[in-house]
Amino acid sequence: MRREASDRLRAKLLESGAAGMVLTTTDNVGYLSGFESVMDGWRLPEPISAVFLPASADLPVTLFLPEASLISLVVAAREGQDLLFDRLRTFDFLNFCITARSVDMDLELPADVVEELNALATCIDGSCASNIINALAECLRHQGLVGKTVLFDDMRVGMALNQASGQKYADGLETIMAARSIKTSAELDIFRETGKKADRVMEFTVGELRSGRSWAEIEKRVSHFMIDEDIDPLPHSPMLFGGSYDTIFRPDLFRTFYDKPFSHGDIAILETQGRYKNTWIDINRTAHFGEAPPAFREQHAQIQRCFSEMVAQLKPGANTAEICASVRSSTARDLTVPEKLLMIIHSIGRVPLESPVPFPSTGLLAATEGFEVKPSMVLSVDCLYFGSRYGPSHMENVFLIGEDGADSIYKYPLELIEVD
């Protein structure tokens, strides 16, 4: 997986004329090198690891990490993690590394661990730098790249290197996101696994729905189930849309806190989200407590027809915004308030939005201009109706894009869910 990803990214570097790319954001470091720091969960505003990919295949891929974290490479190798690096460079992280270097006469590492650490030591270039910027600067100087343009996924890092050593730098965020939007064969295999996981989570969630139970109770049960399935739930809650709804749908768009227990006639939007093997799960269904009125059933069926029409057009060469516009001007016109139907197709991967759209990719043009569908993309199709006459109807699936069309990785039925 890593070599396939690095080859694709290196090809893009050669197209751009850049001498290489420095990645320092957590997901990009993990994407290219497979390295994950135990401290990534701290969500620090500054990088604590990096990877340098040179455009020339004759130069080494270098991984940068705190010296005290070298042991994590031993652990990763023993766990069978797919790591990519040719050389290593280390730096101090606060005073952690100083503490780790201190001699403890009562500590004796097992011989096999010492052997593996000694092998890693032969991969280290230079001495331990005082910080990550100095480690990067020394590496780029050593490879003779200071006078050549290097791309950065974090321009603050590029600016710091320019101030430290005169390094020429440019923005590489769009380059790395374009590479990430086309999945490797290994990534596609993981996505197929997430499909089975998502179906299990949705089945469990539906089984937990019943009148008299609160949304908070259900969320806790779903969260525990996801953790048992080796899924990291969406932070704060495993469900993006929350709460129960009466005849008036009253969001905040993504959160509606409703403390009362569910009762007959309520509608619940079930969007269970989380990460499995660093791959995002994004499935959405609609549930009605008690038998749904015919008008609401018909509304949901209309949304499903819009969804099916979007999927039918989801083929290589199509434009995502044009697909949505086509449905909006045809099938969606039958809805009570067509303007309240949110349709969007977005790339998904290590994060929910990996769309190959120029920065800022979360602005209006990303939805109104879209992007070209290509083979080996993984795309989420959202069809979310916020109409209030009968209540909301939502559905969402993730699709693998093949040469001729799209295949849903989620198999849980799209039809309206009715529970007691």
Side-chain angles (χ1 to χ4, degrees), residues 213-244:
R213 182 170 285 178
S214 73
W215 184 257
E217 289 179 79
I218 294 169
E219 283 192 308
K220 288 176 184 177
R221 294 169 188 263
V222 172
S223 185
H224 290 162
F225 181 82
M226 293 173 80
I227 292 169
D228 287 343
E229 290 284 320
D230 297 322
I231 300 167
D232 294 325
L234 179 75
H236 307 300
S237 160
M239 307 236 195
L240 185 60
F241 293 91
S244 57

PDB file of all heavy atoms in Angstrom, residues 213-244:
ATOM      1  N   ARG A 213     -37.183   4.854  25.151  1.00  0.00           N
ATOM      2  CA  ARG A 213     -35.731   4.928  25.345  1.00  0.00           C
ATOM      3  C   ARG A 213     -35.222   6.268  24.831  1.00  0.00           C
ATOM      4  O   ARG A 213     -35.641   6.746  23.777  1.00  0.00           O
ATOM      5  CB  ARG A 213     -35.054   3.762  24.613  1.00  0.00           C
ATOM      6  CG  ARG A 213     -33.548   3.714  24.779  1.00  0.00           C
ATOM      7  CD  ARG A 213     -32.967   2.426  24.242  1.00  0.00           C
ATOM      8  NE  ARG A 213     -33.227   1.297  25.145  1.00  0.00           N
ATOM      9  CZ  ARG A 213     -32.870   0.042  24.901  1.00  0.00           C
ATOM     10  NH1 ARG A 213     -32.263  -0.262  23.755  1.00  0.00           N
ATOM     11  NH2 ARG A 213     -33.121  -0.908  25.764  1.00  0.00           N
ATOM     12  N   SER A 214     -34.293   6.867  25.546  1.00  0.00           N
ATOM     13  CA  SER A 214     -33.773   8.177  25.135  1.00  0.00           C
ATOM     14  C   SER A 214     -32.651   8.027  24.120  1.00  0.00           C
ATOM     15  O   SER A 214     -32.020   6.977  24.015  1.00  0.00           O
ATOM     16  CB  SER A 214     -33.253   8.947  26.359  1.00  0.00           C
ATOM     17  OG  SER A 214     -32.028   8.375  26.814  1.00  0.00           O
ATOM     18  N   TRP A 215     -32.410   9.116  23.405  1.00  0.00           N
ATOM     19  CA  TRP A 215     -31.330   9.134  22.416  1.00  0.00           C
ATOM     20  C   TRP A 215     -29.975   8.899  23.090  1.00  0.00           C
ATOM     21  O   TRP A 215     -29.127   8.191  22.565  1.00  0.00           O
ATOM     22  CB  TRP A 215     -31.331  10.480  21.699  1.00  0.00           C
ATOM     23  CG  TRP A 215     -30.338  10.587  20.590  1.00  0.00           C
ATOM     24  CD1 TRP A 215     -29.148  11.238  20.614  1.00  0.00           C
ATOM     25  CD2 TRP A 215     -30.452   9.996  19.300  1.00  0.00           C
ATOM     26  NE1 TRP A 215     -28.507  11.102  19.400  1.00  0.00           N
ATOM     27  CE2 TRP A 215     -29.293  10.343  18.574  1.00  0.00           C
ATOM     28  CE3 TRP A 215     -31.422   9.211  18.678  1.00  0.00           C
ATOM     29  CZ2 TRP A 215     -29.074   9.942  17.274  1.00  0.00           C
ATOM     30  CZ3 TRP A 215     -31.203   8.808  17.365  1.00  0.00           C
ATOM     31  CH2 TRP A 215     -30.035   9.165  16.691  1.00  0.00           C
ATOM     32  N   ALA A 216     -29.788   9.475  24.276  1.00  0.00           N
ATOM     33  CA  ALA A 216     -28.518   9.313  24.986  1.00  0.00           C
ATOM     34  C   ALA A 216     -28.261   7.844  25.311  1.00  0.00           C
ATOM     35  O   ALA A 216     -27.135   7.358  25.192  1.00  0.00           O
ATOM     36  CB  ALA A 216     -28.511  10.147  26.262  1.00  0.00           C
ATOM     37  N   GLU A 217     -29.297   7.133  25.718  1.00  0.00           N
ATOM     38  CA  GLU A 217     -29.136   5.705  26.007  1.00  0.00           C
ATOM     39  C   GLU A 217     -28.686   4.950  24.766  1.00  0.00           C
ATOM     40  O   GLU A 217     -27.784   4.105  24.827  1.00  0.00           O
ATOM     41  CB  GLU A 217     -30.474   5.116  26.493  1.00  0.00           C
ATOM     42  CG  GLU A 217     -30.925   5.535  27.871  1.00  0.00           C
ATOM     43  CD  GLU A 217     -32.272   4.905  28.199  1.00  0.00           C
ATOM     44  OE1 GLU A 217     -32.292   3.718  28.571  1.00  0.00           O
ATOM     45  OE2 GLU A 217     -33.297   5.604  28.052  1.00  0.00           O
ATOM     46  N   ILE A 218     -29.328   5.254  23.659  1.00  0.00           N
ATOM     47  CA  ILE A 218     -29.021   4.550  22.409  1.00  0.00           C
ATOM     48  C   ILE A 218     -27.597   4.861  21.970  1.00  0.00           C
ATOM     49  O   ILE A 218     -26.845   3.969  21.570  1.00  0.00           O
ATOM     50  CB  ILE A 218     -30.034   4.940  21.316  1.00  0.00           C
ATOM     51  CG1 ILE A 218     -31.426   4.435  21.714  1.00  0.00           C
ATOM     52  CG2 ILE A 218     -29.622   4.375  19.963  1.00  0.00           C
ATOM     53  CD1 ILE A 218     -32.547   4.971  20.851  1.00  0.00           C
ATOM     54  N   GLU A 219     -27.216   6.139  22.059  1.00  0.00           N
ATOM     55  CA  GLU A 219     -25.856   6.525  21.652  1.00  0.00           C
ATOM     56  C   GLU A 219     -24.795   5.772  22.445  1.00  0.00           C
ATOM     57  O   GLU A 219     -23.790   5.324  21.893  1.00  0.00           O
ATOM     58  CB  GLU A 219     -25.657   8.029  21.831  1.00  0.00           C
ATOM     59  CG  GLU A 219     -26.298   8.861  20.739  1.00  0.00           C
ATOM     60  CD  GLU A 219     -25.835  10.293  20.795  1.00  0.00           C
ATOM     61  OE1 GLU A 219     -25.934  10.889  21.887  1.00  0.00           O
ATOM     62  OE2 GLU A 219     -25.368  10.804  19.782  1.00  0.00           O
ATOM     63  N   LYS A 220     -25.004   5.649  23.745  1.00  0.00           N
ATOM     64  CA  LYS A 220     -24.024   4.954  24.577  1.00  0.00           C
ATOM     65  C   LYS A 220     -23.900   3.493  24.164  1.00  0.00           C
ATOM     66  O   LYS A 220     -22.794   2.945  24.064  1.00  0.00           O
ATOM     67  CB  LYS A 220     -24.421   5.055  26.050  1.00  0.00           C
ATOM     68  CG  LYS A 220     -24.239   6.443  26.642  1.00  0.00           C
ATOM     69  CD  LYS A 220     -24.745   6.500  28.073  1.00  0.00           C
ATOM     70  CE  LYS A 220     -24.639   7.920  28.626  1.00  0.00           C
ATOM     71  NZ  LYS A 220     -25.199   8.016  29.995  1.00  0.00           N
ATOM     72  N   ARG A 221     -25.033   2.850  23.906  1.00  0.00           N
ATOM     73  CA  ARG A 221     -25.010   1.443  23.507  1.00  0.00           C
ATOM     74  C   ARG A 221     -24.331   1.275  22.151  1.00  0.00           C
ATOM     75  O   ARG A 221     -23.540   0.351  21.952  1.00  0.00           O
ATOM     76  CB  ARG A 221     -26.436   0.894  23.460  1.00  0.00           C
ATOM     77  CG  ARG A 221     -27.127   0.824  24.817  1.00  0.00           C
ATOM     78  CD  ARG A 221     -28.616   0.520  24.660  1.00  0.00           C
ATOM     79  NE  ARG A 221     -29.328   0.623  25.923  1.00  0.00           N
ATOM     80  CZ  ARG A 221     -29.606  -0.408  26.709  1.00  0.00           C
ATOM     81  NH1 ARG A 221     -29.226  -1.627  26.361  1.00  0.00           N
ATOM     82  NH2 ARG A 221     -30.265  -0.231  27.841  1.00  0.00           N
ATOM     83  N   VAL A 222     -24.643   2.187  21.226  1.00  0.00           N
ATOM     84  CA  VAL A 222     -24.033   2.119  19.889  1.00  0.00           C
ATOM     85  C   VAL A 222     -22.529   2.354  19.984  1.00  0.00           C
ATOM     86  O   VAL A 222     -21.731   1.669  19.332  1.00  0.00           O
ATOM     87  CB  VAL A 222     -24.689   3.141  18.933  1.00  0.00           C
ATOM     88  CG1 VAL A 222     -23.930   3.213  17.613  1.00  0.00           C
ATOM     89  CG2 VAL A 222     -26.147   2.770  18.680  1.00  0.00           C
ATOM     90  N   SER A 223     -22.134   3.317  20.800  1.00  0.00           N
ATOM     91  CA  SER A 223     -20.712   3.612  20.961  1.00  0.00           C
ATOM     92  C   SER A 223     -19.957   2.403  21.499  1.00  0.00           C
ATOM     93  O   SER A 223     -18.875   2.055  21.006  1.00  0.00           O
ATOM     94  CB  SER A 223     -20.537   4.808  21.897  1.00  0.00           C
ATOM     95  OG  SER A 223     -19.181   5.190  21.977  1.00  0.00           O
ATOM     96  N   HIS A 224     -20.512   1.746  22.506  1.00  0.00           N
ATOM     97  CA  HIS A 224     -19.872   0.549  23.068  1.00  0.00           C
ATOM     98  C   HIS A 224     -19.766  -0.551  22.016  1.00  0.00           C
ATOM     99  O   HIS A 224     -18.739  -1.229  21.915  1.00  0.00           O
ATOM    100  CB  HIS A 224     -20.664   0.047  24.276  1.00  0.00           C
ATOM    101  CG  HIS A 224     -20.568   0.940  25.461  1.00  0.00           C
ATOM    102  ND1 HIS A 224     -21.449   0.890  26.514  1.00  0.00           N
ATOM    103  CD2 HIS A 224     -19.688   1.931  25.768  1.00  0.00           C
ATOM    104  CE1 HIS A 224     -21.123   1.796  27.425  1.00  0.00           C
ATOM    105  NE2 HIS A 224     -20.063   2.446  26.983  1.00  0.00           N
ATOM    106  N   PHE A 225     -20.819  -0.712  21.229  1.00  0.00           N
ATOM    107  CA  PHE A 225     -20.799  -1.733  20.179  1.00  0.00           C
ATOM    108  C   PHE A 225     -19.705  -1.435  19.149  1.00  0.00           C
ATOM    109  O   PHE A 225     -18.964  -2.333  18.721  1.00  0.00           O
ATOM    110  CB  PHE A 225     -22.160  -1.810  19.485  1.00  0.00           C
ATOM    111  CG  PHE A 225     -22.240  -2.861  18.412  1.00  0.00           C
ATOM    112  CD1 PHE A 225     -22.476  -4.184  18.745  1.00  0.00           C
ATOM    113  CD2 PHE A 225     -22.065  -2.527  17.074  1.00  0.00           C
ATOM    114  CE1 PHE A 225     -22.539  -5.166  17.751  1.00  0.00           C
ATOM    115  CE2 PHE A 225     -22.133  -3.486  16.077  1.00  0.00           C
ATOM    116  CZ  PHE A 225     -22.372  -4.817  16.419  1.00  0.00           C
ATOM    117  N   MET A 226     -19.588  -0.171  18.764  1.00  0.00           N
ATOM    118  CA  MET A 226     -18.575   0.214  17.781  1.00  0.00           C
ATOM    119  C   MET A 226     -17.169  -0.064  18.315  1.00  0.00           C
ATOM    120  O   MET A 226     -16.314  -0.579  17.597  1.00  0.00           O
ATOM    121  CB  MET A 226     -18.740   1.693  17.405  1.00  0.00           C
ATOM    122  CG  MET A 226     -20.020   1.990  16.648  1.00  0.00           C
ATOM    123  SD  MET A 226     -20.310   3.754  16.369  1.00  0.00           S
ATOM    124  CE  MET A 226     -19.255   4.073  14.973  1.00  0.00           C
ATOM    125  N   ILE A 227     -16.946   0.271  19.567  1.00  0.00           N
ATOM    126  CA  ILE A 227     -15.628   0.034  20.154  1.00  0.00           C
ATOM    127  C   ILE A 227     -15.312  -1.454  20.164  1.00  0.00           C
ATOM    128  O   ILE A 227     -14.184  -1.873  19.856  1.00  0.00           O
ATOM    129  CB  ILE A 227     -15.555   0.635  21.569  1.00  0.00           C
ATOM    130  CG1 ILE A 227     -15.594   2.169  21.487  1.00  0.00           C
ATOM    131  CG2 ILE A 227     -14.300   0.172  22.302  1.00  0.00           C
ATOM    132  CD1 ILE A 227     -15.796   2.855  22.817  1.00  0.00           C
ATOM    133  N   ASP A 228     -16.317  -2.276  20.485  1.00  0.00           N
ATOM    134  CA  ASP A 228     -16.117  -3.722  20.468  1.00  0.00           C
ATOM    135  C   ASP A 228     -15.839  -4.245  19.060  1.00  0.00           C
ATOM    136  O   ASP A 228     -15.250  -5.312  18.891  1.00  0.00           O
ATOM    137  CB  ASP A 228     -17.356  -4.432  21.038  1.00  0.00           C
ATOM    138  CG  ASP A 228     -17.478  -4.275  22.540  1.00  0.00           C
ATOM    139  OD1 ASP A 228     -16.469  -3.917  23.180  1.00  0.00           O
ATOM    140  OD2 ASP A 228     -18.582  -4.495  23.078  1.00  0.00           O
ATOM    141  N   GLU A 229     -16.263  -3.483  18.055  1.00  0.00           N
ATOM    142  CA  GLU A 229     -16.007  -3.849  16.653  1.00  0.00           C
ATOM    143  C   GLU A 229     -14.705  -3.229  16.133  1.00  0.00           C
ATOM    144  O   GLU A 229     -14.449  -3.215  14.937  1.00  0.00           O
ATOM    145  CB  GLU A 229     -17.175  -3.380  15.776  1.00  0.00           C
ATOM    146  CG  GLU A 229     -18.465  -4.151  15.988  1.00  0.00           C
ATOM    147  CD  GLU A 229     -18.441  -5.516  15.329  1.00  0.00           C
ATOM    148  OE1 GLU A 229     -17.917  -5.635  14.203  1.00  0.00           O
ATOM    149  OE2 GLU A 229     -18.941  -6.472  15.947  1.00  0.00           O
ATOM    150  N   ASP A 230     -13.892  -2.682  17.044  1.00  0.00           N
ATOM    151  CA  ASP A 230     -12.617  -2.032  16.693  1.00  0.00           C
ATOM    152  C   ASP A 230     -12.826  -0.768  15.861  1.00  0.00           C
ATOM    153  O   ASP A 230     -11.981  -0.404  15.030  1.00  0.00           O
ATOM    154  CB  ASP A 230     -11.686  -2.998  15.958  1.00  0.00           C
ATOM    155  CG  ASP A 230     -11.291  -4.180  16.813  1.00  0.00           C
ATOM    156  OD1 ASP A 230     -11.075  -3.975  18.022  1.00  0.00           O
ATOM    157  OD2 ASP A 230     -11.224  -5.304  16.296  1.00  0.00           O
ATOM    158  N   ILE A 231     -13.934  -0.089  16.082  1.00  0.00           N
ATOM    159  CA  ILE A 231     -14.229   1.172  15.409  1.00  0.00           C
ATOM    160  C   ILE A 231     -14.083   2.304  16.421  1.00  0.00           C
ATOM    161  O   ILE A 231     -14.576   2.205  17.548  1.00  0.00           O
ATOM    162  CB  ILE A 231     -15.668   1.180  14.842  1.00  0.00           C
ATOM    163  CG1 ILE A 231     -15.859   0.054  13.826  1.00  0.00           C
ATOM    164  CG2 ILE A 231     -16.006   2.529  14.207  1.00  0.00           C
ATOM    165  CD1 ILE A 231     -17.309  -0.194  13.460  1.00  0.00           C
ATOM    166  N   ASP A 232     -13.411   3.385  16.035  1.00  0.00           N
ATOM    167  CA  ASP A 232     -13.335   4.583  16.868  1.00  0.00           C
ATOM    168  C   ASP A 232     -14.544   5.455  16.540  1.00  0.00           C
ATOM    169  O   ASP A 232     -14.637   5.977  15.421  1.00  0.00           O
ATOM    170  CB  ASP A 232     -12.054   5.372  16.586  1.00  0.00           C
ATOM    171  CG  ASP A 232     -10.803   4.619  16.999  1.00  0.00           C
ATOM    172  OD1 ASP A 232     -10.865   3.902  18.010  1.00  0.00           O
ATOM    173  OD2 ASP A 232      -9.781   4.739  16.303  1.00  0.00           O
ATOM    174  N   PRO A 233     -15.497   5.629  17.470  1.00  0.00           N
ATOM    175  CA  PRO A 233     -16.699   6.411  17.162  1.00  0.00           C
ATOM    176  C   PRO A 233     -16.366   7.871  16.883  1.00  0.00           C
ATOM    177  O   PRO A 233     -15.336   8.388  17.316  1.00  0.00           O
ATOM    178  CB  PRO A 233     -17.544   6.272  18.433  1.00  0.00           C
ATOM    179  CG  PRO A 233     -16.974   5.117  19.177  1.00  0.00           C
ATOM    180  CD  PRO A 233     -15.522   5.085  18.835  1.00  0.00           C
ATOM    181  N   LEU A 234     -17.263   8.522  16.181  1.00  0.00           N
ATOM    182  CA  LEU A 234     -17.167   9.962  15.990  1.00  0.00           C
ATOM    183  C   LEU A 234     -17.000  10.621  17.358  1.00  0.00           C
ATOM    184  O   LEU A 234     -17.723  10.284  18.295  1.00  0.00           O
ATOM    185  CB  LEU A 234     -18.457  10.473  15.325  1.00  0.00           C
ATOM    186  CG  LEU A 234     -18.573  11.975  15.053  1.00  0.00           C
ATOM    187  CD1 LEU A 234     -17.715  12.350  13.858  1.00  0.00           C
ATOM    188  CD2 LEU A 234     -20.024  12.353  14.791  1.00  0.00           C
ATOM    189  N   PRO A 235     -16.048  11.542  17.522  1.00  0.00           N
ATOM    190  CA  PRO A 235     -15.838  12.168  18.831  1.00  0.00           C
ATOM    191  C   PRO A 235     -17.120  12.759  19.411  1.00  0.00           C
ATOM    192  O   PRO A 235     -17.922  13.343  18.684  1.00  0.00           O
ATOM    193  CB  PRO A 235     -14.819  13.266  18.518  1.00  0.00           C
ATOM    194  CG  PRO A 235     -14.070  12.744  17.337  1.00  0.00           C
ATOM    195  CD  PRO A 235     -15.086  12.003  16.515  1.00  0.00           C
ATOM    196  N   HIS A 236     -17.311  12.562  20.680  1.00  0.00           N
ATOM    197  CA  HIS A 236     -18.451  13.057  21.466  1.00  0.00           C
ATOM    198  C   HIS A 236     -19.701  12.209  21.273  1.00  0.00           C
ATOM    199  O   HIS A 236     -20.574  12.193  22.132  1.00  0.00           O
ATOM    200  CB  HIS A 236     -18.792  14.523  21.150  1.00  0.00           C
ATOM    201  CG  HIS A 236     -17.622  15.438  21.261  1.00  0.00           C
ATOM    202  ND1 HIS A 236     -16.912  15.597  22.434  1.00  0.00           N
ATOM    203  CD2 HIS A 236     -17.016  16.245  20.343  1.00  0.00           C
ATOM    204  CE1 HIS A 236     -15.932  16.472  22.243  1.00  0.00           C
ATOM    205  NE2 HIS A 236     -15.967  16.866  20.988  1.00  0.00           N
ATOM    206  N   SER A 237     -19.840  11.527  20.140  1.00  0.00           N
ATOM    207  CA  SER A 237     -21.047  10.742  19.890  1.00  0.00           C
ATOM    208  C   SER A 237     -20.836   9.934  18.631  1.00  0.00           C
ATOM    209  O   SER A 237     -20.209  10.403  17.682  1.00  0.00           O
ATOM    210  CB  SER A 237     -22.248  11.667  19.692  1.00  0.00           C
ATOM    211  OG  SER A 237     -23.283  10.993  19.011  1.00  0.00           O
ATOM    212  N   PRO A 238     -21.371   8.699  18.578  1.00  0.00           N
ATOM    213  CA  PRO A 238     -21.227   7.917  17.355  1.00  0.00           C
ATOM    214  C   PRO A 238     -22.213   8.331  16.266  1.00  0.00           C
ATOM    215  O   PRO A 238     -22.165   7.812  15.160  1.00  0.00           O
ATOM    216  CB  PRO A 238     -21.521   6.490  17.826  1.00  0.00           C
ATOM    217  CG  PRO A 238     -22.480   6.672  18.945  1.00  0.00           C
ATOM    218  CD  PRO A 238     -22.041   7.943  19.632  1.00  0.00           C
ATOM    219  N   MET A 239     -23.105   9.268  16.586  1.00  0.00           N
ATOM    220  CA  MET A 239     -24.125   9.676  15.623  1.00  0.00           C
ATOM    221  C   MET A 239     -23.994  11.156  15.318  1.00  0.00           C
ATOM    222  O   MET A 239     -23.944  11.987  16.219  1.00  0.00           O
ATOM    223  CB  MET A 239     -25.516   9.389  16.161  1.00  0.00           C
ATOM    224  CG  MET A 239     -25.679   7.964  16.605  1.00  0.00           C
ATOM    225  SD  MET A 239     -27.043   7.184  15.794  1.00  0.00           S
ATOM    226  CE  MET A 239     -27.231   5.741  16.829  1.00  0.00           C
ATOM    227  N   LEU A 240     -23.991  11.484  14.019  1.00  0.00           N
ATOM    228  CA  LEU A 240     -23.848  12.875  13.623  1.00  0.00           C
ATOM    229  C   LEU A 240     -25.146  13.637  13.867  1.00  0.00           C
ATOM    230  O   LEU A 240     -25.168  14.684  14.487  1.00  0.00           O
ATOM    231  CB  LEU A 240     -23.462  12.955  12.149  1.00  0.00           C
ATOM    232  CG  LEU A 240     -23.162  14.351  11.617  1.00  0.00           C
ATOM    233  CD1 LEU A 240     -21.997  14.970  12.374  1.00  0.00           C
ATOM    234  CD2 LEU A 240     -22.838  14.302  10.138  1.00  0.00           C
ATOM    235  N   PHE A 241     -26.261  13.111  13.333  1.00  0.00           N
ATOM    236  CA  PHE A 241     -27.557  13.718  13.609  1.00  0.00           C
ATOM    237  C   PHE A 241     -28.085  13.104  14.893  1.00  0.00           C
ATOM    238  O   PHE A 241     -28.053  11.887  15.048  1.00  0.00           O
ATOM    239  CB  PHE A 241     -28.542  13.443  12.471  1.00  0.00           C
ATOM    240  CG  PHE A 241     -28.169  14.114  11.187  1.00  0.00           C
ATOM    241  CD1 PHE A 241     -27.378  13.462  10.264  1.00  0.00           C
ATOM    242  CD2 PHE A 241     -28.615  15.392  10.903  1.00  0.00           C
ATOM    243  CE1 PHE A 241     -27.032  14.079   9.070  1.00  0.00           C
ATOM    244  CE2 PHE A 241     -28.272  16.001   9.713  1.00  0.00           C
ATOM    245  CZ  PHE A 241     -27.484  15.355   8.790  1.00  0.00           C
ATOM    246  N   GLY A 242     -28.568  13.919  15.803  1.00  0.00           N
ATOM    247  CA  GLY A 242     -29.009  13.358  17.069  1.00  0.00           C
ATOM    248  C   GLY A 242     -30.396  13.801  17.461  1.00  0.00           C
ATOM    249  O   GLY A 242     -30.844  14.880  17.088  1.00  0.00           O
ATOM    250  N   GLY A 243     -31.087  12.981  18.210  1.00  0.00           N
ATOM    251  CA  GLY A 243     -32.353  13.382  18.777  1.00  0.00           C
ATOM    252  C   GLY A 243     -33.558  12.809  18.080  1.00  0.00           C
ATOM    253  O   GLY A 243     -33.468  12.098  17.095  1.00  0.00           O
ATOM    254  N   SER A 244     -34.702  13.106  18.596  1.00  0.00           N
ATOM    255  CA  SER A 244     -35.960  12.699  17.983  1.00  0.00           C
ATOM    256  C   SER A 244     -36.669  13.962  17.509  1.00  0.00           C
ATOM    257  O   SER A 244     -36.384  15.062  17.959  1.00  0.00           O
ATOM    258  CB  SER A 244     -36.820  11.943  18.994  1.00  0.00           C
ATOM    259  OG  SER A 244     -37.059  12.740  20.133  1.00  0.00           O
TER     260      SER A 244
END
